[in-house]
């Protein structure tokens, strides 16, 4: 090594600055790392230290009984890092005599032995290994002198190598000293200087301390904004103004206290909008890429109880090909099937299932074997999940995991991304008179290329994390150790967090930096962002697992820095960055990311005592806000009532105005942008009719008719678009799901007791309940499912008692009788053998081209012994509808009664009635009263006409979101895709019961 003076600085940027001044420079981190390995050992990766800690903990588990979970291992490993940085060994710990000292002493000995056997040392002890090497090294291998700048976090490890070097050669440590007015923030430098002076004043061969006076620059401004988004826009505006003022982009830096994505994303977006080139010390973390999120989601699904929503989110992810689980000739067909499975699973009211059997039970119960591929797909998912749940060596589990990832299409490039890029590159160039199309095309190409880069980097980081875990285990001799998928998951996620993202560097760009990256460097303009409590300064604390009692018992020189000293080091670095800038802007938001009030940081408060605070606008439409782009300027002008030359923007504004007028005035007819589909094209009209249903080959369910009567858009979104959102977070069945169980159990019970009405009531009830229990619990092994079936059987018992005591003369005739179904639903269930019967034909309403066909499933049909009277019973386990709405908004009773009447023959069945039976009451409640149950031919005809009018209106293209009752909007399952604001008024349903204009 040259005998010249070497300058040791904190970052590569500082190295470049020193080299430009003709100095010999390198980072002190690389200097320490190089000398630390001179002992013949390599610095262990974090994965190795965590595995070594886990192995050492396992060796003493019988004494400490910690459980050995991954969280405990990570916590103890972090505590071991604190001890390593402080130079604490096992003997030092034992001399303290404290209770937990023996635990950490044995852990230190165990990890050290394993790492040394693997030819490695804990990298957090690098300062001490470097100190030993520097003390033994020949003098001609050392530089002539060393100057250290930027080292303010003086741990025991830092003191060790600095003092060891100072005993061999001349070492100068440059530190800042505040020369301005005294303040709590500025006094941070004094605290560090006092520590160093106290440590080195009695050491005749200690380092020299050289002080540089610093103070606030003359141009220091404060900006306060209402939100994080407004703060990002304020920063982008200030940077843009600085660039327009002639400042070079490389002389501008934006300091963030922590590089969290919550603020980085809006900041990136605003800088992009303002066309400001920028770079950052790291790109988006690997976990931010959809590919990595999907891979980790599968790992989460396999390593614990099955979370329904996690599985649904995975299957919905665009980068996932569900080929391992769902059959289909093409990726598109498999995705469509996956979305269908997601919709079915989302309806399951179970959020967490230990082994997946409950979800499988409920899915099988709902589908009734009509779509066997649904249960088969879920079974494949559960089988693949079980394949990873047996303990095995890491390399075996990792190979299985990676194999599934690749089968799911989670390769280095997103599915179809390259094809999309090729299509974009081959697309025809926009017309010369359409410059915006050219700009959009360029932007689209750039976004697709960025997606490919990010996905490739994410996949590489993921595989690197898996490989690092395996290599660490092999190096420590743990390669053949069987581990659980839960443990492997925690190790992969920890390794992935340690994989450095690919930094985004651009020449001549504004830099987003950490404060240490610009401390002591001259800058023309420095922005200090997020100066609010909770975001600006972290609260450094000593590791709580070690405990204050143990730390205070350590020798003074082996104690970790106190929280106050750690905070002083942070503030010293910040003040050094501010002092070297010509102009500084400090910004903050008055609210945090969740909208709660946030107090200013100490620095902001102290600066505001002598300086005015500029208040930033809350909205991009605020006339005080300087627009960041031409697009934003047009939006501001439109917000003030102006016009725009952008035809696309003008079109969007017109659409929003039309929607606003439509929802404010119930008299307006629906248009193309408010809920009307043009049916002028016969092909479109035919396609819409098939999609909506009600045709001979695709009858519409009576329940769908009721939904359309309440809101045509809800029926269209659910039935045609397949849109549905549910928020079932509990594990108890929802009313509709429990109702399905009750219906199926009642069918079995009533069929089993049909021929035993002459027997004793107790015997009949016991017979029916036992038959239902055998049928419902056949091959079921989910405890929660069993509990719900037992709950449903109590309803069965109550209904059987009610049926036995019914003195009206009606007797059970049919159960779950379907009409308009494509195939029978009756089949062999448990030990109750029943003859399969074809469904009744669909109910046809009207004649000719406008005929509407309806299908349904009647819960129960009762007929008197003489066959002259019949009644339709609809079981209910939840709230009962208002009987006044029957025939106008509620259609199951009259249409079910009509289907039965037509099937049995109007002449042979002079009386037909319908009722609801609330099975949750004891005894079951009949609704309505006896006289109101009878349907006349006129009432059934009226219901038909009303139902037909609703379907024809939808076929005509009117699917506007105008509910008959505004109260349904609050609980609507498609509210997220509806353009009608929930606060909008609604017309009087008495005037127009279907929600349309009169």
């Amino acid at each position: 090594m040259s005998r010249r003076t070497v300058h040791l600085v904190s970052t590569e940027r500082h190295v470049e600055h020193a080299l430009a001044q003709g100095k010999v420079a390198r980072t002190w981190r690389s200097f320490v790392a190089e000398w630390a390995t001179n002992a013949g050992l390599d610095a262990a990766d974090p994965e190795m230290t965590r595995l070594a800690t886990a192995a050492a903990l396992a060796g003493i588990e019988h004494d400490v009984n910690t459980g050995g979970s991954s969280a405990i291992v990570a916590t103890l490993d972090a505590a071991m890092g604190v001890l390593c940085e402080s130079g604490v060994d096992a003997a030092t710990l034992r001399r303290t005599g404290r209770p937990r000292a023996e635990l950490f002493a044995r852990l230190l000995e165990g990890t050290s032995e394993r790492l040394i056997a693997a030819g490695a040392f804990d990298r957090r002890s690098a300062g001490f290994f470097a100190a030993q090497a520097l003390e033994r090294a020949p003098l001609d291998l050392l530089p002539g002198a060393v100057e250290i700048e930027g080292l303010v976090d003086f741990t025991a490890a830092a003191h060790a190598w600095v003092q060891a070097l100072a005993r061999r050669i001349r070492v100068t440590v440059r530190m800042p000293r505040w020369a301005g007015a005294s303040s709590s923030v500025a006094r941070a430098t004094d605290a560090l200087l006092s520590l160093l002076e106290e440590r080195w004043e009695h050491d005749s061969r200690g380092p020299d301390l050289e002080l540089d006076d610093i103070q606030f620059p003359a141009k220091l401004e404060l900006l306060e904004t209402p939100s994080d988004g407004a703060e990002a826009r304020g920063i982008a505006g200030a940077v843009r103004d600085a660039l327009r003022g002639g400042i070079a982009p490389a002389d501008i830096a934006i300091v963030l206290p922590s590089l969290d994505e919550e603020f980085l994303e809006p900041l990136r977006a605003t800088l992009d909008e303002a066309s400001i080139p920028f770079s950052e010390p790291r790109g988006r973390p690997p976990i931010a890429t959809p590919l990595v999120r999907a891979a980790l989601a599968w790992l989460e699904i396999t390593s614990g109880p099955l979370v329904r929503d996690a599985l649904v989110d995975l299957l919905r992810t665009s980068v996932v090909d569900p080929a391992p689980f769902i059959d289909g000739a093409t990726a598109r067909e498999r995705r469509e099937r996956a979305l269908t499975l997601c919709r079915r699973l989302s309806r399951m009211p179970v959020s967490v299932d230990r082994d997946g059997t409950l979800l499988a039970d409920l899915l099988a119960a709902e589908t009734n074997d009509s779509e066997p591929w649904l249960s088969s797909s879920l079974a494949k998912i559960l089988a693949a999940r079980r394949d990873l749940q047996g303990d095995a060596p890491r390399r075996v589990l990792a190979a299985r995991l990676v194999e599934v990832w690749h089968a799911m299409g989670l390769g280095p490039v997103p599915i179809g991304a390259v094809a999309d890029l090729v299509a974009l590159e081959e697309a025809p160039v926009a017309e010369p008179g359409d410059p915006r199309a050219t700009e959009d095309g360029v932007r689209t190409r750039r976004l697709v290329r960025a997606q490919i880069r990010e996905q490739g980097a994410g996949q590489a980081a993921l595989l690197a994390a898996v490989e690092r875990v395996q290599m660490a285990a092999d190096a420590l001799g743990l390669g053949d150790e069987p581990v659980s998928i839960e443990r492997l998951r925690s190790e992969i996620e920890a390794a992935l967090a340690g994989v450095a993202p690919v930094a985004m560097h651009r020449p001549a760009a504004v830099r987003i930096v950490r404060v240490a990256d610009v401390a002591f460097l001259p800058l023309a303009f420095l922005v200090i962002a997020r100066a609010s409590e909770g975001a600006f300064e972290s609260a450094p604390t000593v590791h709580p697992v070690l405990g204050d009692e143990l730390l205070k018992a350590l020798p003074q020189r082996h104690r970790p820095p106190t929280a106050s000293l750690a905070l002083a080091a942070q503030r010293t670095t910040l003040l050094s960055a501010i002092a070297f800038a010509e102009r500084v802007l400090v910004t903050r938001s008055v609210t945090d990311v969740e909208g709660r009030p946030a107090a200013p940081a100490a620095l902001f408060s102290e600066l505001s005592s002598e300086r005015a605070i500029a208040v930033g606008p809350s909205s991009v439409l605020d006339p005080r806000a300087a627009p960041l782009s031409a697009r934003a300027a047009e939006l501001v002008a439109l917000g003030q009532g102006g016009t725009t030359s952008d035809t696309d923007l003008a079109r969007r504004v017109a659409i929003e105005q039309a929607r606003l007028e439509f929802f404010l005035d119930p008299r307006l007819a629906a248009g193309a942008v408010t809920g009307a589909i043009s049916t002028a094209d016969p092909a479109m009209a035919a396609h819409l009719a098939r999609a909506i249903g009600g045709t001979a080959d695709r009858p519409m369910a009576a329940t769908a008719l009721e939904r359309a009567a309440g809101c045509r858009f809800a029926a269209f979104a659910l039935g045609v678009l397949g849109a549905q959102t549910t928020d079932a977070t509990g594990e108890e069945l929802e009313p509709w799901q429990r109702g399905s169980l009750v219906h199926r159990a009642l069918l079995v019970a009533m069929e089993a007791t049909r021929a035993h009405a002459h027997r004793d009531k107790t015997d009949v009830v016991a017979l029916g309940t036992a038959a239902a229990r055998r049928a419902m619990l056949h091959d079921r092994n989910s405890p929660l499912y069993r509990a719900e079936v037992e709950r449903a059987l109590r309803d069965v018992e109550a209904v059987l008692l009610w049926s036995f005591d019914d003195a009206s003369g009606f007797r059970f005739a049919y159960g779950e009788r379907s009409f308009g179904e494509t195939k029978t639903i009756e089949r062999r269930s448990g030990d109750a053998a029943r003859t399969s019967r074809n469904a009744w034909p669909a109910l046809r309403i009207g004649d000719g081209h406008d005929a509407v066909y309806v299908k349904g499933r009647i819960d129960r049909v009762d007929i008197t012994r003489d066959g002259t009277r019949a009644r339709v019973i609809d079981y209910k386990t939840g709230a009962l509808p208002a009987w006044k709405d029957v025939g106008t908004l509620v259609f199951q009773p009259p249409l079910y009664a009509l289907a039965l009447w037509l099937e049995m023959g109007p002449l042979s069945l002079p009386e037909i009635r319908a009722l609801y039976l609330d099975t949750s009451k004891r005894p079951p409640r009949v609704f309505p009263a006896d006289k109101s149950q009878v349907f006349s031919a006129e009432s059934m005809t009226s219901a038909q006409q009303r139902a037909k009018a609703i379907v024809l209106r939808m076929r005509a293209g009117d699917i506007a979101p105008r509910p008959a009752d505004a109260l349904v909007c609050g609980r609507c399952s498609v509210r997220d895709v509806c353009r009608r604001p929930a606060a909008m008024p609604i017309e009087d349903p008495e005037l127009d019961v279907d929600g349309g204009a009169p």
Side-chain angles (χ1 to χ4, degrees):
M1 182 177 291
S2 171
R3 298 291 295 168
R4 296 173 60 186
T5 298
V6 174
H7 294 261
L8 299 181
V9 293
S10 55
T11 69
E12 293 297 337
R13 174 72 67 171
H14 291 79
V15 171
E16 294 174 5
H17 180 69
L19 294 177
Q21 295 177 329
K23 300 176 181 178
V24 177
R26 62 184 303 186
T27 65
W28 52 263
R29 292 181 179 84
S30 65
F31 179 84
V32 170
E34 179 182 318
W35 281 98
T37 57
N38 279 355
L41 299 176
D42 295 324
D45 291 330
E47 292 74 30
M48 284 187 67
T49 61
R50 279 192 293 269
L51 284 179
T53 300
L57 180 62
I60 61 174
E61 186 65 30
H62 60 282
D63 294 331
V64 295
N65 192 26
T66 61
S69 70
S70 300
I72 292 177
V73 170
T75 301
L76 292 176
D77 181 62
M80 301 284 285
V82 173
L83 296 176
C84 289
E85 289 179 345
S86 302
V88 178
D89 56 17
T92 303
L93 284 170
R94 290 192 173 101
R95 282 196 294 270
T96 65
R98 294 302 186 267
R100 64 183 68 188
E102 180 62 25
L103 165 65
F104 287 106
R106 296 172 69 180
L107 284 177
L108 277 175
E109 289 174 339
T111 54
S112 179
E113 290 173 0
R114 285 168 173 80
L115 290 176
I116 291 175
F121 66 89
D122 194 320
R123 63 173 60 243
R124 295 165 292 191
S125 301
F128 296 101
F129 281 87
Q132 297 172 11
L134 288 169
E135 289 175 345
R136 297 192 303 264
L139 194 61
D140 58 351
L141 294 180
L142 300 175
V146 166
E147 289 189 7
I148 303 174
E149 183 180 85
L151 180 59
V152 295
D153 189 11
F154 275 92
T155 61
H159 279 296
W161 72 264
V162 170
Q163 290 180 281
L165 187 60
R167 286 191 284 270
R168 305 296 307 277
I169 60 175
R170 184 173 180 272
V171 175
T172 302
V173 177
R174 297 183 62 189
M175 291 288 292
R177 178 177 59 185
W178 192 253
S182 177
S183 67
S184 61
V185 175
R187 283 194 295 271
T189 60
D190 296 336
L192 289 184
L193 293 176
S194 297
L195 172 67
L196 297 181
E197 289 172 352
E198 178 184 353
R199 182 118 185 185
W200 294 340
E201 66 179 348
H202 302 300
D203 192 343
S204 59
R205 300 175 63 186
D208 295 330
L209 194 58
E210 184 177 310
L211 305 180
D212 292 333
D213 289 340
I214 60 173
Q215 59 183 355
F216 289 131
K219 296 180 179 180
L220 199 155
E221 305 160 273
L222 304 177
L223 174 64
E224 201 169 61
T225 62
S227 64
D228 280 357
E231 183 180 359
R233 291 193 297 271
I235 293 172
V239 170
R240 181 200 53 192
D241 293 342
L243 293 172
R244 290 176 176 176
I247 300 178
D251 288 331
I252 301 176
I254 303 170
V255 168
L256 299 183
S258 61
L259 300 178
D260 60 285
E261 290 295 311
E262 285 182 335
F263 188 75
L264 269 172
E265 279 300 329
L267 181 59
R268 292 183 187 116
T270 53
L271 292 175
D272 273 335
E273 182 183 357
S275 299
I276 298 173
F278 66 93
S279 64
E280 51 182 303
R282 64 176 177 88
R284 289 176 173 84
I287 189 61
T289 60
L291 182 147
V292 176
R293 285 202 302 269
L296 294 182
W298 173 246
L299 189 53
E300 177 187 357
I301 288 169
T302 62
S303 60
L306 180 57
V307 179
R308 179 205 61 191
D309 291 345
L311 177 58
V312 168
D313 289 343
L314 177 67
L315 294 177
R316 284 176 174 168
T317 304
S318 60
V319 298
V320 171
D321 183 348
F325 319 122
I326 297 176
D327 296 332
T330 64
R332 179 175 181 177
E333 181 181 347
R334 291 191 292 271
R335 284 204 186 91
E336 289 176 350
R337 282 193 158 195
L339 292 177
T340 300
L341 177 60
C342 288
R343 286 192 292 270
R344 295 298 182 89
L345 291 176
S346 295
R347 296 178 61 190
M348 301 294 104
V350 178
S351 60
V352 180
D353 189 2
R354 180 179 57 83
D355 53 11
T357 56
L358 178 57
L359 283 174
D361 288 341
L362 295 178
L363 183 63
E366 183 188 355
T367 57
N368 288 318
D369 295 339
S370 59
E371 296 174 288
W373 69 267
L374 287 168
S375 295
S376 173
S377 298
L378 182 57
K380 291 179 182 179
I381 293 172
L382 298 179
R385 183 172 172 268
R386 287 192 298 270
D387 189 48
L388 283 164
Q389 291 182 327
D391 290 2
R394 290 174 177 84
R395 70 173 70 89
V396 175
L397 286 180
R400 295 175 185 169
L401 190 61
V402 172
E403 181 181 1
V404 177
W405 283 343
H406 282 292
M408 294 166 63
L410 302 179
V413 178
I415 299 173
V418 174
D420 292 342
L421 181 59
V422 171
L424 287 169
E425 297 291 353
E426 295 178 350
V429 180
E431 296 296 330
D434 188 10
R436 173 166 293 279
T438 303
E439 294 173 6
D440 289 345
V442 171
R443 179 175 177 80
T444 302
R445 290 179 177 87
R446 181 164 62 85
L447 290 175
V448 173
R449 292 191 191 101
Q451 181 192 24
I452 294 175
R453 286 196 302 270
E454 286 191 3
Q455 296 289 74
Q459 199 253 5
L462 181 65
L463 295 183
V466 175
E467 184 178 4
R468 286 170 60 173
V469 168
Q470 296 179 69
M471 291 176 62
D474 291 340
L476 292 171
L478 302 174
D480 296 327
E481 175 193 28
V483 296
S484 65
I485 189 64
E486 292 89 346
R487 181 170 176 182
L488 181 63
R489 172 195 172 189
S490 65
E491 292 174 356
I492 291 175
E493 290 179 343
L496 188 62
V499 175
V502 179
M504 182 184 68
H505 298 291
R506 294 181 185 173
V510 174
R511 289 175 290 146
I512 301 174
V513 296
R514 302 178 182 90
V515 65
D517 296 333
V518 291
F520 306 100
L521 287 178
L523 284 172
F525 184 34
L526 176 67
V527 179
I528 307 293
R530 310 206 73 195
S532 294
E533 281 187 359
F536 189 62
E537 291 177 326
S538 59
T541 57
V542 177
H543 204 281
V545 173
L546 296 173
D548 290 338
E549 182 184 6
L550 174 58
L551 295 175
K552 290 178 180 178
L554 294 172
Q556 183 68 35
R557 295 199 170 197
H558 290 294
R559 294 178 189 172
T562 62
S564 59
L565 283 177
L567 182 60
Q570 290 181 19
R571 290 181 171 177
T572 297
T573 305
L574 176 64
L575 292 172
S576 300
I578 293 175
F580 277 75
E582 296 178 12
R583 177 192 168 198
V584 176
L585 173 65
V586 184
T587 70
R588 88 173 198 94
S589 166
V590 298
T591 58
D592 61 15
V593 293
E594 296 180 355
R596 296 173 298 192
L603 172 67
F604 196 94
S605 296
E606 292 188 4
L607 293 175
S608 63
S609 62
E610 300 178 356
R611 295 169 179 82
I613 300 176
V615 178
S618 59
S619 169
V620 293
L621 301 181
D622 193 315
R624 297 174 300 161
L628 296 177
S629 62
R631 185 79 161 183
E634 287 185 315
L635 290 175
V636 173
L638 285 171
Q640 297 174 349
T643 59
T644 175
S645 59
D646 186 337
T647 56
D648 180 61
L649 184 58
R651 178 184 62 84
R652 297 185 187 186
V653 170
I655 289 174
E656 293 303 322
Q657 289 178 338
R659 284 174 174 158
L660 181 62
E661 293 172 359
F662 174 76
F663 288 122
L664 286 175
D665 188 352
R667 297 169 299 179
L668 293 179
V673 298
T674 54
I677 300 174
S678 175
T679 56
D681 183 355
M684 173 59 74
H687 176 73
L688 181 62
R690 286 193 301 272
I692 290 173
T695 58
D697 60 339
R698 193 169 183 265
M700 175 179 281
T703 53
L705 263 175
E706 292 184 354
R707 187 179 298 114
C711 178
R712 292 184 298 280
F713 177 78
F716 178 81
L718 286 167
V720 179
L721 302 181
Q724 183 173 1
T725 57
T726 57
D727 189 22
T729 57
E731 294 190 4
E732 186 177 358
L733 296 188
E734 290 183 350
W736 69 267
Q737 186 66 42
R738 183 169 176 267
S740 177
L741 287 178
V742 172
H743 290 183
R744 294 171 57 225
L746 279 170
L747 173 62
V748 175
M750 297 304 295
E751 289 282 1
T753 59
R754 179 194 297 273
H756 301 278
H758 61 282
R759 298 177 59 179
D760 181 73
K761 177 171 64 174
T762 303
D763 293 340
V764 172
V765 172
L767 177 66
T769 305
R773 177 178 286 106
R774 288 192 299 270
M776 300 297 290
L777 294 179
H778 183 64
D779 293 334
R780 306 296 185 186
N781 57 7
S782 167
L784 183 56
Y785 181 85
R786 287 178 174 273
E788 290 294 344
V789 168
E790 292 294 338
R791 182 181 177 186
L793 290 176
R794 292 196 289 271
D795 285 10
V796 171
E797 181 179 356
V799 173
L800 287 173
L801 288 170
W802 174 85
S803 301
F804 196 91
D805 294 335
D806 184 18
S808 63
F810 287 98
R811 293 294 180 264
F812 171 76
Y814 305 110
E816 297 293 309
R817 164 53 70 183
S818 63
F819 60 93
E821 298 283 356
T822 57
K823 62 179 182 179
T824 181
I825 63 159
E826 286 92 352
R827 63 189 190 281
R828 196 175 189 89
S829 179
D831 65 347
R834 290 176 284 114
T835 304
S836 178
R837 293 172 293 187
N838 294 326
W840 291 343
L843 176 62
R844 188 181 69 181
I845 302 175
D847 297 312
H849 178 72
D850 291 338
V852 173
Y853 293 81
V854 180
K855 67 179 180 179
R857 184 181 302 171
I858 307 172
D859 292 343
R860 174 171 165 178
V861 174
D862 289 352
I863 301 176
T864 57
R865 293 185 184 276
D866 59 7
T868 60
R869 294 186 299 152
R871 70 181 177 188
V872 169
I873 296 180
D874 194 4
Y875 297 133
K876 289 292 184 184
T877 57
L880 298 176
W883 195 255
K884 68 180 181 64
D885 294 331
V886 171
T888 56
L889 297 177
V890 178
F891 290 98
Q892 292 184 69
L895 295 186
Y896 288 178
L898 179 62
L900 174 62
W901 193 46
L902 294 176
E903 182 66 23
M904 301 296 294
L907 295 179
S908 63
L909 198 65
E911 180 185 297
I912 187 165
R913 59 178 62 197
L915 60 88
Y916 291 114
L917 186 63
D918 187 349
T919 64
S920 64
K921 297 294 190 294
R922 300 293 181 269
R925 176 193 173 195
V926 174
F927 181 78
D930 187 70
K931 292 183 179 180
S932 300
Q933 297 172 7
V934 179
F935 281 113
S936 65
E938 292 76 12
S939 63
M940 289 187 288
T941 300
S942 175
Q944 291 181 73
Q945 294 172 347
R946 173 67 177 154
K948 179 181 177 181
I950 293 172
V951 177
L952 293 183
R953 192 162 184 175
M954 294 183 67
R955 287 182 182 175
D958 188 352
I959 48 99
R962 276 184 167 163
D965 184 353
L967 295 177
V968 304
C969 293
R971 58 181 183 272
C972 180
S973 61
V974 295
R975 183 176 178 179
D976 291 345
V977 298
C978 180
R979 295 305 303 267
R980 178 185 183 273
M984 281 292 179
I986 186 67
E987 64 268 32
D988 187 354
E990 295 296 334
L991 297 178
D992 184 18
V993 291
D994 75 344

